Amino acid sequence: MSKRTAFLEAACKENVEDFLRFIQLHKDKTEPFDVEEVVQEMPRDQRQTLWGKLASLLQDVLQELPPERWDRGREEGMEEESAVDPKHVMAVVDGVTLVAAVSLNVLQDGDTYTALLEIAHRLHDVLVLLPVSESPLQHHIHMLCEAWWKKDLTDKEKFGRTAFLIALQKSFILKKPGAEIQRVWSLHDVLLSLDYMSEDNKQIVDLLLQCFHRPIYIRNDDGKRFLVFLFSWNVNFIWVIHGTIKNQLEFYSKTMTTHIMEIYFRAWKKASGDFLEQIESSCIQDFMQNAIFLHRSSPVHAKVRQIVSYFHSRKGCHAVDKMLHNLYKPILWKALSAANFEVRANATLLFTEAFPIHDPDQSNQKIDETIQKQLDAAMGLLDDTHPTVRSNATLGVCKILAKCWELLPPTIITDFLKKLVFELAADSSSPDVRCSVFKCLTIVLDNALSHPLLEKLLPSLKYSLHDNSEKVRTAFLDMLIKVKAVRAAKFWDVCNMDHLLARLAIDSHSVSKRIVDLLFKSFFPVNESDREWCCRCITLIQMNPMAARKFYQFAHKHTAPTNIIKLMLAIRRVLNSCIQTDFDQTDINESNKENSAAEPLLGKDMVIVSRLLEVAVILWKSVEKALRQNEEAQKYTYAKFGNVIAKYFQTFEDEQCTAPLVQLASFMPPAAVPTFSCGVLSRLRRLEPGAAPSQYSQLLDCICSWGQVADILELVTDWLTEALPKQGDKVNANRKVRIQETVEAKPELALVYLEYLFSHTSTREKVLALGERPLKQLHTALGNWRSVLYTHLSSTTADPKSPDVETALKVFVYHGRLGAHLQHSSSKGREYLLSLEHVAAWIAERVLPFLAKRPNDDEEKEKSPPLAAKITESFLTVCRDVLLVGLGDDTFKGQMLHLCSLTLLSEAGYLCIPAVLPILKEVADSFAPDQAQENEEDPTTVMLGVVANIFHKIIELLVRRLRKEPEEGRQLCQSALPALTDFLQVAQAWDTAPLSGVFSTLFAVTVVEQSHLLQKITHPEEVITPESVEDMPPLPSILLSVILKSPAVTRAFLTEVSSSVDSEAISSLNEVAAVLRVLAVIKNVGQSKAALKSAATSAQQQLHKHAATSVDGSDIQRVIYESSVKTLNEILDL
């Protein structure tokens, strides 16, 4: 039996297994059986028989198990043995699909394919019912539909539509949809057979619009072709596409926007007739209008400008020029004279970018007239009243000049440049305009034809280097750098070298680095010898020493570290020529031979020597990292400077030379400078208290860089220990033996050294890296000074042998600060927090009793504030810092709050209010508002309740002091203002208890004080509504001034006002009037109108209860009521 006959007989339900075996043989690459060969060899009638039998087979298997039950059957499993296997059914359908697909390939003109059409319809129905996926069966049916469309067979529209729809859907769900996008493009003609307006095609229309949301479509070449084609599908679809893109424009990146504008341009270029008109009017002109009328702050303005600019960049083509002329004509020229400056500014950018806008069909004479009018318009825009328009016009004019220089008459070019250089560059009303001139002149400089004219005009701009706006100076220097780069002129002809150096010496980083960029080759010509570099260095120092320092700070950014080191060694050789020595005669002789020209420049001029040393230090700092990475170069540099630095110290004894020499020594290991390094500690020991920072700062840096910080710490500890009053005659013999020089203890100097070491990051890190033992000894020595403070507190007469109180107080502060540092660097629990808590207990036990005592004699009264208050305030400040950096735990916070409470309960505790408030602020700030729970026993709630209570006590103390000692009370309030402002800023974030009680306290004291003032009124004429905080009583005035600084705090306060008034805590007329007087002051500030009206509405309900007062009350009460009603109406009318 032949293959054809066997395959034909297998194509029926009874022999379906044989059919599937044939299909499997076809798929097996090792088998010779090929279905396409078999079908091709069949006669026409035999093929028709095959299609008929396959149609019957397909019908039978689909009736047994329809496609909608395939997935359900697989999920539920086969409950009966006789149930149909979905896999078997799908295999049969797949086999039939394969035969149908190869049949299409061998189909000839004139063949009858009714049965094949029936198969295709059944398979089409299967495809429609299956969910979109990557299954092989779906893919094969999809390919069949696509082939049917491309063969142009009966019902091709139906199959083409489905093939297109499936391809479109798959392109959205596949991870790599490139092939499907290619298929969508190959089927794009299907759309021409679809009715855009039909409801049946609404799904396809929605999917087509989604393509514009997909970056893969916008970036892909075939996808881009397809999107361009969509503009030609239906004229009504164009504005729908445009609306979709506009809605999506905000989310496109700059690159995506580039693809989008290319799609628009290609769509416009291919369009004709109604489609062209619709694209121009609905899309391109719409973009033009948006580019003109959108605010510059709009997130899509830049994208719209980018799209419009793409069309401008295509100018020079007849069609583009014509289109731009026609579309801009009705909108652009009106916009250039619009009242709104933003519209004019946007229109200016478009106009100058699209220049010249002309109709290419006009005669040359007409075109020339049009261009002249536009040039006149551009000149007029440079005189616009608004600086933004002038800035944009400057940019536009410079672009026109750069692009059209050879086409414009010389007189017009000169007029434009003179306008820019002589007028706009000196526009005193706007630094933006001045900045724009210099930024945009760099565009003109790109055209070499502009150089001769600009060479004459630019020198008039030289004083712009000293403009009071940094951005103008920066732009001017960028222009000079451009002048130098394009060789338009000599930059020193435009701006004198002395001016550049003067500005380099004093200006900011951004300006200085540009000046160095400009001058680098002049003072550091890398192609010359290092001798020449050194000569230029000396010249620069002589011209401007400060500029020289700045120049060499930036030099390492413009050349390799090798050149920097070469210059350092060249400076060393010049310095060697100034000293008479025989220890390195070879080196000196070489120096003299190479630098004989440099010797006369120095002579005995110690100023130049000191400046050269400074330059060497600056250069070394700039390449320090590079030297560490190159051990050989580092050793060589150490050796070269190490063998001369001792002689430098002997020869260059001038004070100006000492500091850079010490810094040079600090860069090297102590072994490289043995003579100097051995004496540094002795010099520090011999300094006297009150020494200037310049005398010890460099030496301390040396000690730290050499890793000898333990020695200086030991010296400090010794001095602090020895300065304490001795118990009897006992002395530490061991310590005496170790100190070779007998020097009197200097605790003041010890504190100065500590301050320097802990104030600079580099030195502090080295100190803290020492380990616990020496630092703990220092901490103990500092803590022992509490006895000195107590002695001063308790004694009535000063002991001449005892350290002074100021020094003791500073030591006390350093003890706390060092404890904080050690706690931060320690990993062992809370040892140093515990130390601070012990100090707090000492203050409570030993210091606060003195704060409670009032001085008896006049001499003691003059001590303001008393020592006890100073000690307490100093300690609270340290603890504030501990809390600020997050070192304090809940126990520590509780102890600090306890100390604050005890302090305020002391008789003179009010003196410490400015120090207590920051503690309250930091404790409150350490908890988030969502941490508080309704449970009153929750630790957070308890602690914040304590904060609120302490704040209440503070307000009570302020009220008491203002009544008892008004002047002292005012001073106290003023000193507490900054801390009070910070505390309220934290408290306003809490809208629930316990911190909401802070605003209850503020409201209560404000109303009580104001109500008390109203009670003292004796005549109706004294009833005056306050207009500002200055018209309020002292404490409410101060509190309101703090509250009104922040809108958030004001809202929190007004919320409390509403709550308190609604709760009827305010009942009497005087109290309601007091509330309204407070609200009147807030109204005049103009903050929080909504909250203000809400509070006024609450007060209105209470005020209505006193309406009878206007008839029956006394004159004063009646006037107060009427005044309150008037104030209330003014607030409600806001």
Side-chain angles (χ1 to χ4, degrees):
M1 187 185 297
S2 68
K3 290 180 183 179
R4 284 179 293 167
T5 307
F7 186 66
L8 190 61
E9 288 183 2
C12 63
K13 185 177 180 183
E14 293 76 15
N15 300 326
V16 70
E17 294 300 331
D18 294 336
F19 174 72
L20 292 176
R21 196 175 301 110
F22 276 118
I23 297 300
Q24 192 60 40
L25 288 172
H26 170 81
K27 293 179 180 179
D28 188 348
K29 301 297 182 185
T30 61
E31 292 294 333
F33 183 79
D34 187 352
V35 173
E36 187 170 356
E37 263 183 37
V38 172
V39 175
Q40 195 168 11
E41 291 171 359
M42 284 182 177
R44 185 175 296 175
D45 57 341
Q46 205 171 22
R47 281 203 297 268
Q48 291 173 1
T49 304
L50 174 65
W51 296 338
K53 294 181 75 172
L54 288 175
S56 300
L57 174 62
L58 184 62
Q59 181 180 1
D60 291 343
V61 296
L62 290 178
Q63 283 178 348
E64 287 181 2
L65 190 67
E68 54 266 26
R69 288 173 51 198
W70 289 357
D71 284 339
R72 201 185 320 154
R74 277 204 301 267
E75 289 170 8
E76 294 174 359
M78 294 296 112
E79 295 179 1
E80 301 175 10
E81 290 183 7
S82 60
V84 180
D85 183 2
K87 290 183 180 178
H88 174 79
V89 174
M90 287 195 289
V92 173
V93 174
D94 192 31
V96 173
T97 305
L98 171 63
V99 177
V102 300
S103 298
L104 283 183
N105 295 336
V106 302
L107 198 64
Q108 298 172 2
D109 293 340
D111 284 357
T112 303
Y113 52 89
T114 307
L116 185 60
L117 178 61
E118 183 185 346
I119 292 172
H121 277 300
R122 290 190 187 282
L123 291 173
H124 173 273
D125 294 341
V126 171
L127 181 62
V128 171
L129 290 170
L130 292 176
V132 178
S133 69
E134 298 180 65
S135 69
L137 174 59
Q138 188 182 63
H139 178 69
H140 295 154
I141 301 175
H142 185 202
M143 293 299 99
L144 176 66
C145 292
E146 182 183 353
W148 198 280
W149 161 263
K150 290 181 177 178
K151 277 282 188 180
D152 200 19
L153 302 176
T154 305
D155 289 344
K156 71 167 187 174
E157 292 81 6
K158 175 181 178 180
F159 295 106
R161 182 187 185 280
T162 301
F164 178 78
L165 178 59
I166 298 295
L168 201 56
Q169 290 173 326
K170 286 175 74 174
S171 71
F172 293 159
I173 64 171
L174 297 182
K175 290 182 179 178
K176 295 182 178 179
E180 288 304 324
I181 292 175
Q182 192 174 11
R183 182 168 291 112
V184 168
W185 167 240
S186 69
L187 292 169
H188 71 275
D189 286 337
V190 171
L191 284 175
L192 300 177
S193 65
L194 302 181
D195 181 7
Y196 167 71
M197 304 303 293
S198 172
E199 282 294 320
D200 295 337
N201 295 323
K202 191 174 185 307
Q203 181 189 10
I204 288 182
V205 171
D206 292 341
L207 290 173
L208 292 175
L209 292 175
Q210 277 192 45
C211 293
F212 290 94
H213 292 199
R214 308 280 172 165
I216 186 64
Y217 263 94
I218 297 170
R219 289 195 298 260
N220 184 283
D221 287 341
D222 287 322
K224 204 178 291 184
R225 291 188 190 98
F226 178 66
L227 297 181
V228 169
F229 165 76
L230 291 181
F231 280 87
S232 62
W233 176 35
N234 187 286
V235 74
N236 296 320
F237 192 43
I238 293 174
W239 73 268
V240 181
I241 294 173
H242 183 61
T244 302
I245 291 175
K246 281 172 65 180
N247 291 338
Q248 202 65 18
L249 201 57
E250 181 181 351
F251 310 105
Y252 288 148
S253 66
K254 192 172 182 179
T255 307
M256 291 293 292
T257 308
T258 303
H259 292 299
I260 287 292
M261 62 195 188
E262 189 181 338
I263 289 168
Y264 271 110
F265 183 77
R266 284 164 59 175
W268 169 80
K269 197 172 181 181
K270 291 184 178 182
S272 60
D274 292 342
F275 288 93
L276 178 63
E277 185 180 340
Q278 183 74 357
I279 289 173
E280 288 185 350
S281 60
S282 297
C283 304
I284 301 174
Q285 194 171 53
D286 182 51
F287 277 133
M288 290 173 171
Q289 287 178 319
N290 283 316
I292 291 172
F293 295 113
L294 274 174
H295 286 290
R296 300 175 76 189
S297 58
S298 166
V300 297
H301 181 261
K303 313 285 178 62
V304 172
R305 282 268 299 111
Q306 189 182 347
I307 293 171
V308 175
S309 294
Y310 186 82
F311 284 91
H312 295 163
S313 68
R314 296 287 179 155
K315 274 179 61 64
C317 165
H318 181 280
V320 175
D321 288 345
K322 181 79 174 176
M323 179 266 291
L324 290 174
H325 175 265
N326 292 339
L327 297 186
Y328 272 134
K329 190 174 181 180
I331 57 174
L332 183 62
W333 311 113
K334 290 180 182 177
L336 287 173
S337 56
N340 185 292
F341 82 88
E342 274 198 89
V343 173
R344 296 200 308 276
N346 292 341
T348 299
L349 285 176
L350 296 185
F351 159 55
T352 53
E353 191 175 75
F355 177 89
I357 302 172
H358 66 285
D359 185 352
D361 294 333
Q362 289 182 331
S363 64
N364 289 340
Q365 184 180 352
K366 282 281 187 185
I367 291 175
D368 288 345
E369 290 175 2
T370 301
I371 292 174
Q372 185 57 53
K373 286 180 181 177
Q374 291 177 20
L375 289 170
D376 294 340
M379 184 65 81
L381 290 169
L382 291 173
D383 289 321
D384 194 275
T385 55
H386 200 279
T388 304
V389 181
R390 297 200 298 277
S391 295
N392 286 4
T394 299
L395 173 61
V397 165
C398 287
K399 283 183 176 180
I400 291 171
L401 291 176
K403 183 172 63 174
C404 309
W405 186 280
E406 55 268 40
L407 304 177
L408 298 174
T411 53
I412 289 176
I413 293 173
T414 305
D415 288 346
F416 272 130
L417 285 177
K418 284 184 175 179
K419 184 78 173 177
L420 294 172
V421 172
F422 296 139
E423 293 184 30
L424 294 179
D427 189 335
S428 59
S429 65
S430 172
D432 287 335
V433 174
R434 302 196 300 275
C435 184
S436 183
V437 171
F438 300 122
K439 282 185 175 180
C440 299
L441 280 175
T442 58
I443 299 171
V444 181
L445 284 164
D446 283 328
N447 190 322
L449 297 174
S450 67
H451 297 176
L453 180 56
L454 285 173
E455 189 176 7
K456 297 175 182 177
L457 296 176
L458 291 180
S460 62
L461 298 172
K462 60 185 176 183
Y463 294 116
S464 296
L465 180 65
H466 304 291
D467 196 286
N468 57 14
S469 170
E470 182 179 333
K471 64 181 178 181
V472 176
R473 300 196 299 275
T474 302
F476 175 74
L477 286 165
D478 285 335
M479 184 200 72
L480 280 186
I481 292 169
K482 183 75 172 183
V483 167
K484 180 184 175 184
V486 299
R487 299 184 178 181
K490 294 181 176 66
F491 70 85
W492 56 84
D493 288 339
V494 178
C495 188
N496 188 283
M497 188 69 77
D498 290 337
H499 287 258
L500 288 168
L501 293 177
R503 183 50 63 180
L504 174 60
I506 62 172
D507 219 322
S508 64
H509 179 274
S510 62
V511 175
S512 297
K513 72 177 182 181
R514 286 171 170 82
I515 297 176
V516 172
D517 188 6
L518 194 66
L519 301 179
F520 187 75
K521 288 184 180 178
S522 300
F523 291 105
F524 204 139
V526 290
N527 296 326
E528 301 283 347
S529 66
D530 53 1
R531 171 191 163 189
E532 182 62 26
W533 302 347
C534 200
C535 290
R536 303 271 179 115
C537 175
I538 293 169
T539 303
L540 180 54
I541 288 170
Q542 290 170 334
M543 291 176 74
N544 193 315
M546 283 294 292
R549 288 180 184 171
K550 278 276 194 77
F551 178 86
Y552 289 106
Q553 282 174 16
F554 291 96
H556 70 281
K557 296 183 178 180
H558 297 272
T559 189
T562 309
N563 289 336
I564 299 292
I565 296 168
K566 281 182 180 178
L567 178 56
M568 287 163 51
L569 295 173
I571 291 172
R572 170 187 168 277
R573 287 197 297 271
V574 172
L575 293 171
N576 287 353
S577 67
C578 300
I579 59 178
Q580 299 298 320
T581 181
D582 57 0
F583 64 91
D584 191 7
Q585 198 60 44
T586 305
D587 188 70
I588 296 298
N589 290 340
E590 288 176 3
S591 172
N592 290 338
K593 288 175 187 175
E594 294 176 12
N595 297 285
S596 55
E599 288 179 41
L601 293 173
L602 294 183
K604 296 294 183 181
D605 191 346
M606 285 299 107
V607 174
I608 298 294
V609 170
S610 67
R611 299 291 183 257
L612 279 173
L613 286 168
E614 287 174 2
V615 169
V617 169
I618 290 167
L619 292 172
W620 197 320
K621 274 186 180 178
S622 69
V623 293
E624 199 170 9
K625 185 177 178 182
L627 279 173
R628 281 199 297 268
Q629 293 170 350
N630 188 332
E631 189 175 346
E632 187 178 342
Q634 187 180 48
K635 286 181 179 178
Y636 181 77
T637 309
Y638 285 165
K640 282 293 183 182
F641 278 92
N643 62 15
V644 294
I645 198 159
K647 203 65 180 175
Y648 287 173
F649 273 111
Q650 292 174 15
T651 307
F652 308 137
E653 294 178 341
D654 190 270
E655 189 178 343
Q656 295 179 71
C657 299
T658 305
L661 281 173
V662 172
Q663 278 193 296
L664 273 178
S666 71
F667 294 142
M668 294 182 278
V673 282
T675 309
F676 173 72
S677 61
C678 292
V680 170
L681 195 60
S682 296
R683 290 173 69 176
L684 287 169
R685 192 180 285 117
R686 288 196 301 269
L687 285 178
E688 293 299 323
S694 59
Q695 292 179 271
Y696 59 80
S697 58
Q698 306 288 346
L699 299 175
L700 288 173
D701 284 335
C702 273
I703 289 282
C704 291
S705 65
W706 293 337
Q708 298 174 355
V709 70
D711 295 341
I712 193 67
L713 218 60
E714 183 181 348
L715 175 65
V716 168
T717 306
D718 287 345
W719 277 351
L720 291 172
T721 304
E722 291 170 9
L724 284 171
K726 302 293 186 296
Q727 298 296 324
D729 295 322
K730 294 178 183 178
V731 293
N732 191 328
N734 292 333
R735 192 66 81 181
K736 282 289 182 181
V737 169
R738 292 178 62 187
I739 299 177
Q740 296 175 358
E741 295 180 68
T742 305
V743 178
E744 182 186 352
K746 303 171 184 176
E748 300 88 350
L749 199 55
L751 293 179
V752 169
Y753 291 170
L754 272 185
E755 175 66 31
Y756 183 85
L757 291 173
F758 279 95
S759 298
H760 298 80
T761 306
S762 59
T763 53
R764 181 171 63 247
E765 288 175 352
K766 289 182 171 64
V767 170
L768 294 175
L770 278 177
E772 190 174 1
R773 186 181 174 188
L775 290 169
K776 199 167 186 178
Q777 288 177 350
L778 175 61
H779 188 251
T780 303
L782 290 167
N784 291 338
W785 277 66
R786 289 204 300 271
S787 61
V788 178
L789 282 177
Y790 185 72
T791 302
H792 282 284
L793 274 172
S794 56
S795 63
T796 53
T797 58
D799 182 0
K801 294 182 180 179
S802 178
D804 64 273
V805 67
E806 291 300 326
T807 303
L809 196 57
K810 286 180 183 178
V811 173
F812 177 68
V813 170
Y814 275 106
H815 175 255
R817 285 176 57 186
L818 180 59
H821 282 297
L822 294 176
Q823 181 62 40
H824 176 66
S825 59
S826 171
S827 57
K828 298 179 182 177
R830 56 191 311 278
E831 177 184 353
Y832 296 100
L833 282 182
L834 192 62
S835 168
L836 288 170
E837 290 168 9
H838 288 159
V839 176
W842 176 80
I843 287 176
E845 181 184 346
R846 295 295 190 94
V847 178
L848 292 186
F850 292 95
L851 197 60
K853 296 177 182 177
R854 299 300 295 165
N856 298 321
D857 56 350
D858 294 337
E859 184 181 345
E860 285 293 318
K861 285 183 180 179
E862 290 176 3
K863 294 181 182 178
S864 178
L867 178 56
K870 279 187 177 182
I871 295 170
T872 308
E873 284 185 326
S874 299
F875 180 70
L876 290 176
T877 302
V878 171
C879 294
R880 184 275 314 271
D881 293 339
V882 171
L883 293 170
L884 181 63
V885 297
L887 290 176
D889 54 17
D890 286 353
T891 305
F892 182 77
K893 293 170 191 173
Q895 292 290 334
M896 291 309 105
L897 291 177
H898 179 63
L899 177 62
C900 290
S901 298
L902 293 177
T903 302
L904 294 176
L905 290 172
S906 303
E907 186 177 343
Y910 63 86
L911 295 171
C912 299
I913 287 175
V916 170
L917 278 169
I919 296 287
L920 302 187
K921 180 255 180 183
E922 295 305 333
V923 171
D925 202 23
S926 65
F927 299 105
D930 55 0
Q931 280 184 263
Q933 301 176 6
E934 294 183 6
N935 180 8
E936 293 183 0
E937 296 181 1
D938 175 66
T940 301
T941 306
V942 171
M943 196 169 293
L944 291 175
V946 174
V947 170
N949 292 338
I950 292 175
F951 181 75
H952 185 79
K953 181 64 178 177
I954 287 172
I955 296 299
E956 282 183 4
L957 289 174
L958 291 176
V959 171
R960 196 178 303 159
R961 293 317 300 169
L962 282 166
R963 289 179 179 171
K964 197 171 182 180
E965 298 284 348
E967 189 57 38
E968 184 188 10
R970 286 192 186 91
Q971 290 177 3
L972 183 62
C973 289
Q974 288 298 325
S975 62
L977 273 182
L980 181 60
T981 304
D982 292 340
F983 175 69
L984 293 184
Q985 195 64 47
V986 172
Q988 61 82 24
W990 296 75
D991 54 1
T992 56
L995 273 192
S996 59
V998 167
F999 288 96
S1000 302
T1001 301
L1002 292 174
F1003 173 67
V1005 71
T1006 306
V1007 171
V1008 168
E1009 290 287 302
Q1010 190 66 43
S1011 177
H1012 182 67
L1013 188 68
L1014 289 172
Q1015 288 174 357
K1016 294 197 294 185
I1017 291 177
T1018 57
H1019 197 277
E1021 293 179 358
E1022 295 177 18
V1023 180
I1024 302 172
T1025 303
E1027 295 185 359
S1028 66
V1029 291
E1030 286 79 11
D1031 301 330
M1032 303 284 283
L1035 187 57
S1037 172
I1038 291 166
L1039 295 178
L1040 276 177
S1041 68
V1042 173
I1043 290 168
L1044 296 174
K1045 283 180 183 177
S1046 165
V1049 175
T1050 305
R1051 283 193 297 273
F1053 179 73
L1054 289 170
T1055 302
E1056 179 58 37
V1057 171
S1058 300
S1059 175
S1060 298
V1061 173
D1062 288 341
S1063 67
E1064 298 189 356
I1066 303 298
S1067 56
S1068 70
L1069 177 60
N1070 280 352
E1071 289 174 338
V1072 176
V1075 171
L1076 287 167
R1077 289 159 79 87
V1078 171
L1079 296 182
V1081 172
I1082 297 174
K1083 174 192 73 99
N1084 291 333
V1085 176
Q1087 284 188 11
S1088 308
K1089 290 184 180 179
L1092 181 64
K1093 284 187 177 182
S1094 175
T1097 304
S1098 300
Q1100 185 181 31
Q1101 297 171 2
Q1102 296 297 325
L1103 188 62
H1104 283 332
K1105 296 178 182 178
H1106 301 279
T1109 305
S1110 61
V1111 180
D1112 304 331
S1114 66
D1115 290 344
I1116 293 174
Q1117 290 290 297
R1118 180 173 52 78
V1119 172
I1120 290 174
Y1121 176 80
E1122 291 172 354
S1123 172
S1124 300
V1125 170
K1126 182 182 176 183
T1127 301
L1128 181 65
N1129 291 334
E1130 288 174 355
I1131 295 172
L1132 294 175
D1133 289 341
L1134 284 174

